[in-house]
Amino acid sequence: EDAMAISCNTTFAYLGTQLEVEELQQVSNSLLFNRSINFPLSTKQSKFVLNQYSELWEIPQTAIGQGKTEITPLHNLMIFAAIANKGVMMEPYLLDHIVDSYGNVVETFQPKVYKEVLTIEEAEVLSSMLRGVVVEGNGRQLRNLGIEVAGKTGSAEFKAGEAAHAWFVGFGPYEDPEIAVCVLVENVGSSSDYSVPMAKKIFEAYEKYYKE
């Protein structure tokens, strides 16, 4: 829990070396890494590449989300929404409904379940850890909102000498989630300086709309 809250790479690098590479790859595949996502717009596949032929250095690097790991903002959001949704991943879609020029609804779109990617127990454990990120970790800027938020900060290094990409992915309200948010700011450095403040504005806007 502490390692998650403060983004301690060393802990997760070690944990990665204690796992069977093939099983770690299978879990990643079950979460839609190395798979196409059914979505109306073009989106790339996220990649998690480990196998029995991987070099020793690749395992801890990949386990912490670096190395050969690549993930799209859409996919990252789908995983966090599944955590918020008790382990059930939904298919992403763009439109709620279509109206004609007179305001009549001519077509509606309904949420569709992709599949259960986590057990309820796994989702609850992860949710608790992600809440810890906000309460006592790198997401503390989100503590004083009108709704309780859970989430994860991240910095993705992609090229030597370049500032990292800043990530935040999370959801709220914590006890009964209604909204999931993913913010990626490219090539700027710290997530605390960029992606977290942007996510805060989104949650604040949601809170205002929700209360009204």
Side-chain angles (χ1 to χ4, degrees), residues 72-105:
T72 65
L74 173 65
H75 183 202
N76 212 348
L77 184 62
M78 288 174 64
I79 293 174
F80 273 71
I83 295 171
N85 201 31
K86 305 300 184 184
V88 177
M89 181 177 283
M90 308 298 292
E91 291 188 7
Y93 64 105
L94 290 172
L95 301 177
D96 179 74
H97 62 276
I98 298 173
V99 300
D100 62 19
S101 58
Y102 298 100
N104 300 312
V105 176

Side-chain angles (χ1 to χ4, degrees), residues 187-208:
N187 206 191
V188 293
S190 170
S191 57
S192 298
D193 293 334
Y194 293 93
S195 57
V196 175
M198 290 184 181
K200 182 178 181 180
K201 290 182 179 181
I202 296 173
F203 283 119
E204 287 174 338
Y206 165 78
E207 179 190 358
K208 180 180 178 181

Side-chain angles (χ1 to χ4, degrees), residues 5-7 133-134 136-142 152-156 164-169 183 185 188-200:
I6 63 174
S7 295
V133 173
V134 173
E136 56 189 23
N138 294 340
R140 288 188 297 272
Q141 294 180 55
L142 301 172
K152 185 71 185 72
T153 62
S155 299
H165 298 329
W167 283 94
F168 176 82
V169 195
V183 178
V185 188
V188 293
S190 170
S191 57
S192 298
D193 293 334
Y194 293 93
S195 57
V196 175
M198 290 184 181
K200 182 178 181 180

Side-chain angles (χ1 to χ4, degrees), residues 35-187:
R35 299 283 190 270
S36 297
I37 293 175
N38 184 22
F39 190 60
L41 302 180
S42 175
T43 181
K44 292 185 177 180
Q45 287 187 17
S46 298
K47 298 178 181 178
F48 186 97
V49 184
L50 281 181
N51 53 49
Q52 65 268 33
Y53 305 110
S54 298
E55 296 185 39
L56 184 60
W57 67 267
E58 293 180 288
I59 297 173
Q61 283 278 352
T62 305
I64 67 171
Q66 295 285 156
K68 294 183 177 180
T69 307
E70 297 178 357
I71 188 170
T72 65
L74 173 65
H75 183 202
N76 212 348
L77 184 62
M78 288 174 64
I79 293 174
F80 273 71
I83 295 171
N85 201 31
K86 305 300 184 184
V88 177
M89 181 177 283
M90 308 298 292
E91 291 188 7
Y93 64 105
L94 290 172
L95 301 177
D96 179 74
H97 62 276
I98 298 173
V99 300
D100 62 19
S101 58
Y102 298 100
N104 300 312
V105 176
V106 296
E107 188 173 2
T108 59
F109 303 88
Q110 300 298 322
K112 295 180 180 179
V113 173
Y114 168 66
K115 70 174 182 177
E116 182 180 295
V117 295
L118 300 165
T119 67
I120 293 176
E121 292 76 16
E122 289 168 341
E124 288 178 346
V125 169
L126 286 170
S127 294
S128 177
M129 287 183 172
L130 295 171
R131 177 61 183 156
V133 173
V134 173
V135 172
E136 56 189 23
N138 294 340
R140 288 188 297 272
Q141 294 180 55
L142 301 172
R143 281 190 301 186
N144 297 321
L145 294 175
I147 60 173
E148 293 185 340
V149 173
K152 185 71 185 72
T153 62
S155 299
E157 298 173 352
F158 65 97
K159 185 177 180 181
E162 296 282 346
H165 298 329
W167 283 94
F168 176 82
V169 195
F171 55 84
Y174 171 64
E175 293 292 345
D176 188 17
E178 293 282 347
I179 180 174
V181 173
C182 178
V183 178
L184 172 64
V185 188
E186 295 180 319
N187 206 191

